[in-house]
Amino acid sequence: MCGIVGFNGHKNGIPKIIKGLESLEYRGYDSAGIAYINNERITIKKEKGRIKNLKDLITEKENAYLGIGHTRWATHGEPTKENAHPHQQGKFTLVHNGIIENYMELQKILKDKHYAFISQTDTEVACALIDYYYQKDANIKMAILNASKQMRGAFAFGIICEDDKETLYAIRKTSPLIIAKSKDGNFIASDVPAILEFTNEYFLLNDLELAEITKDNITFYNEELKEIKKESSLFEGNLEASQKGGYEHFMLKEIHEQDEIIKNTIACYYDGTIASLDKSFPDLTKFNKIDIVACGSAYHTGLCAKSFIENYANIPVNVEVASEYRYKKCFYDKNTLVILVSQSGETADTLAALRKAKKDGITTLAIVNVVGSNIAREADYTLYIKAGCEIAVATTKAYLAQVAMFSLLAIYLGYKKGLIQEEELIEINKDIKNLPKMIRKTIDNDLYFKIADQIYENKNIFFIGRGLDYALCMEGSLKLKEISYINSVAYQAGELKHGTISLIEKDTPVIALSTEDELREKTISNIKEAKSRGAKVIYVTNKIPEEKFYDEIITIEKIHPILQSILTMIPLQLMSYKVAKNKNCDIDKPRNLAKSVTVE
Ligand code: M6R
């Protein structure tokens, strides 16, 4: 999704803005632009494609103390130079992240007031609307607020006005935006990595709060234009955490961090005693039904959670994709807990699902990575997964930390309901203690790369499994397609023969997972069905079989079933990574994708 960086300070802001934009590249974009004030003039430069194209337009002589930069992820109109931000209308120049849903209606009104538009974007309409209000009473802050109240949808704006060349303005509704303070000046940014080289002190804006940012001061206003005071927050991570640290890609670095991350996630909530979970979690024992709502990989962690919670705590769990849940009839009541899962905490559909449940008076719990994000702030209860900054678009460490969080939740609920006994808890604790070492050992295996070298030229790759393994297949398949662009399908092993098996031909790779003892025999029969139709079977298991019905075997260590998925996912992550690398794909920024999906 679009990235915003703005600066107003005592030193040249152009390099800072460009650097900030580069650190937001992970969000996904297709054009970049900057507007800055130099010699009392507002200059706009923008270009299609990578930030490098924008940099080529800026000479070293250019110097500006105030500017706004943008990376655009196209929503309205193609990725062209005309549609790139910043946009200018009348006295205003602005950058925008989000979608203005009623922009056509507003555009029509503005056209009648003689505004003309050169781009196809909703952003240019927003800019004209602010100018329109400003022309009425020459009050910049009022104009921004009045226009913002007229716009439906989600937005974060960085705004400059020709009549006040000393000030940067910012406002948001739903889309993320932080305001940061450094010794050289003040920033606005879509996400923390953009400011980390300069400062880690930042402020969060609530919906329709406005920031007036000069070189030395930041003043906040509420939607009635009353001045308000805000407390700043300090980002706990460091700059190194948002850099590659010697790895070729962020994705690889993040996979390699997983032993430490999982250790940390678990240690933050659980010291081996149920008392620690009692302290860490809200009392969830009164709920007799759980809805888990999320998108993409976060949705897949919900499928793992369903298996954990239903099997260990005997509570029915319904897992839903947020874009469906927000519009469907929900059969929840006061005994239902709605859990929202999101790495970014900003995903528009998940946020909308949360708001829907809250509006209906249902208790909500958010499982989130990014501290202070919308979902984290709005839910009744929030559990942070503590996975640190995740930069690669394809999630790995945050996915695994979400799964670990659900394992803890299932242990807690299972114990409280008397379904996990003391002896079993001792077994689980032993495995939790060894888990970081086991994760490390699972990561440090070059077999996955060798197998990836054998399959990367295939056009179709299948993942099959039953039960919990099927949930992992869904994530394995998504990982592969999002970064390698290979068409891949995840199937319940027993369903293959009801249609999909017709797609299997000689040497079609079938990655077959089997880690649950009670389902193993059945899964093996399904694997044999695929094998006898020519499939190249890559068998991923925690038990070496006596019979050879596979072409390659990946063995992972056996661990308590409530923790097993954490290990099983690792080979799938690394195989996808190597397949994409062999295909020269843009691994950290796959085409068309964005890290944080803040539009519907
Ligand atoms: O930030 P979120 O966890 O809410 O994001 C949800 C999905 O967009 C995300 O998991 C997506 O599927 C990942 N890119 C997959 O790797």
Side-chain angles (χ1 to χ4, degrees), residues 294-300 341-348 350 367 375 390 392-396 398 402 475 478-479 482-483 593-597:
C295 301
S297 298
Y299 165 77
H300 297 156
V341 194
S342 176
Q343 186 286 128
S344 62
E346 300 292 352
T347 300
T350 313
I367 295 185
I375 294 174
E390 190 178 64
V393 166
T395 178
T396 51
Q402 286 163 355
E475 174 61 6
L478 176 65
K479 216 77 309 163
E482 69 180 323
I483 60 167
L593 291 181
K595 181 69 180 163
S596 164
V597 184

Side-chain angles (χ1 to χ4, degrees), residues 262-522:
I262 298 304
K263 186 170 153 191
N264 184 40
T265 306
I266 295 179
C268 283
Y269 295 92
Y270 186 49
D271 63 7
T273 64
I274 292 297
S276 59
L277 292 179
D278 270 332
K279 239 202 273 155
S280 306
F281 295 158
D283 182 7
L284 305 173
T285 47
K286 70 165 192 184
F287 299 105
N288 60 21
K289 185 177 167 260
I290 296 177
D291 282 1
I292 300 179
V293 189
C295 301
S297 298
Y299 165 77
H300 297 156
T301 68
L303 297 176
C304 295
K306 177 177 169 70
S307 167
F308 303 158
I309 296 171
E310 287 185 346
N311 288 328
Y312 289 92
N314 206 29
I315 301 171
V317 178
N318 169 38
V319 191
E320 301 261 3
V321 166
S323 54
E324 295 292 319
Y325 192 81
R326 61 185 292 188
Y327 295 116
K328 75 181 273 270
K329 185 170 162 69
C330 291
F331 295 91
Y332 43 35
D333 59 29
K334 64 177 181 8
N335 296 319
T336 309
L337 174 69
V338 175
I339 304 183
L340 298 305
V341 194
S342 176
Q343 186 286 128
S344 62
E346 300 292 352
T347 300
D349 285 319
T350 313
L351 181 59
L354 162 70
R355 288 178 176 169
K356 169 181 170 166
K358 280 198 79 175
K359 194 161 152 264
D360 290 342
I362 308 299
T363 311
T364 55
L365 166 73
I367 295 185
V368 172
N369 192 29
V370 177
V371 177
S373 52
N374 269 313
I375 294 174
R377 286 192 285 160
E378 291 188 25
D380 297 313
Y381 304 106
T382 296
L383 297 172
Y384 286 112
I385 57 167
K386 316 250 178 198
C389 238
E390 190 178 64
I391 304 283
V393 166
T395 178
T396 51
K397 61 175 183 171
Y399 167 89
L400 225 59
Q402 286 163 355
V403 174
M405 183 63 87
F406 276 126
S407 301
L408 291 184
L409 214 55
I411 293 169
Y412 165 73
L413 291 170
Y415 187 90
K416 287 281 175 188
K417 294 193 84 188
L419 297 165
I420 293 179
Q421 310 295 327
E422 215 49 63
E423 309 77 66
E424 186 162 13
L425 194 63
I426 292 170
E427 287 308 306
I428 294 173
N429 284 347
K430 259 198 238 150
D431 282 348
I432 286 182
K433 208 161 156 234
N434 290 328
L435 189 58
K437 260 194 259 145
M438 289 165 126
I439 296 175
R440 188 75 258 152
K441 197 169 155 208
T442 314
I443 294 171
D444 292 335
N445 182 345
D446 54 12
L447 176 64
Y448 324 133
F449 278 18
K450 289 187 183 139
I451 295 175
D453 291 345
Q454 296 170 30
I455 60 173
Y456 78 98
E457 284 173 320
N458 280 82
K459 295 238 172 325
N460 297 297
I461 296 180
F462 290 84
F463 286 78
I464 61 167
R466 284 170 180 256
L468 187 50
D469 289 323
Y470 169 63
L472 300 176
C473 284
M474 296 276 285
E475 174 61 6
S477 168
L478 176 65
K479 216 77 309 163
L480 183 72
K481 41 189 173 224
E482 69 180 323
I483 60 167
S484 77
Y485 316 144
I486 291 178
N487 181 35
S488 159
V489 181
Y491 241 74
Q492 295 96 334
E495 266 294 290
L496 208 59
K497 57 182 162 301
H498 296 288
T500 316
I501 202 161
S502 65
L503 294 169
I504 307 267
E505 44 188 42
K506 187 165 170 356
D507 292 333
T508 305
V510 172
I511 300 175
L513 271 57
S514 169
T515 61
E516 291 189 286
D517 290 340
E518 52 297 357
L519 297 172
R520 183 161 289 119
E521 268 186 23
K522 302 285 172 206

Side-chain angles (χ1 to χ4, degrees), residues 78-281:
E78 309 229 311
T80 59
K81 184 172 170 179
E82 288 67 41
N83 289 334
H85 302 203
H87 286 283
Q88 197 166 50
Q89 280 282 350
K91 304 255 183 191
F92 288 84
T93 305
L94 62 74
V95 288
H96 166 219
N97 170 25
I99 284 185
I100 315 295
E101 285 163 4
N102 56 337
Y103 83 104
M104 289 184 73
E105 190 183 301
L106 295 170
Q107 190 178 48
K108 202 160 164 290
I109 300 169
L110 290 162
K111 276 184 178 166
D112 290 343
K113 311 275 179 209
H114 310 295
Y115 281 90
F117 297 91
I118 49 172
S119 76
Q120 299 154 286
T121 63
D122 52 344
T123 306
E124 203 186 354
V125 175
C127 196
L129 191 66
I130 297 172
D131 187 70
Y132 167 70
Y133 279 108
Y134 181 66
Q135 297 305 333
K136 282 179 146 182
D137 56 12
N139 180 328
I140 299 175
K141 295 192 286 280
M142 254 350 267
I144 296 173
L145 274 170
N146 283 335
S148 300
K149 286 178 192 167
Q150 281 253 295
M151 293 181 235
R152 279 203 310 274
F155 50 79
F157 293 120
I159 307 166
I160 47 185
C161 175
E162 210 180 290
D163 287 348
D164 178 5
K165 298 199 184 69
E166 300 295 321
T167 312
L168 165 62
Y169 295 92
I171 192 164
R172 70 174 279 277
K173 191 179 130 203
T174 305
S175 298
L177 194 71
I178 57 166
I179 317 293
K181 201 167 137 186
S182 85
K183 64 177 180 9
D184 294 333
N186 299 316
F187 290 86
I188 61 170
S190 296
D191 199 358
V192 172
I195 50 128
L196 272 187
E197 190 172 334
F198 313 104
T199 177
N200 67 347
E201 186 180 0
Y202 66 96
F203 299 88
L204 295 166
L205 285 180
N206 290 323
D207 279 0
L208 290 180
E209 285 179 351
L210 174 78
E212 182 183 37
I213 302 154
T214 61
K215 283 186 181 61
D216 300 305
N217 285 309
I218 305 173
T219 316
F220 297 102
Y221 300 89
N222 68 12
E223 59 182 287
E224 265 77 55
L225 204 54
K226 292 231 165 61
E227 195 177 323
I228 47 171
K229 292 276 165 254
K230 276 190 176 281
E231 292 291 316
S232 63
S233 308
L234 291 182
F235 183 69
E236 286 172 19
N238 52 24
L239 182 63
E240 201 204 332
S242 65
Q243 291 172 338
K244 282 192 203 139
Y247 287 93
E248 198 177 341
H249 296 98
F250 279 111
M251 181 179 176
L252 190 61
K253 175 186 172 231
E254 287 160 4
I255 292 172
H256 276 266
E257 284 169 359
Q258 292 181 122
D259 51 341
E260 282 302 317
I261 298 288
I262 298 304
K263 186 170 153 191
N264 184 40
T265 306
I266 295 179
C268 283
Y269 295 92
Y270 186 49
D271 63 7
T273 64
I274 292 297
S276 59
L277 292 179
D278 270 332
K279 239 202 273 155
S280 306
F281 295 158

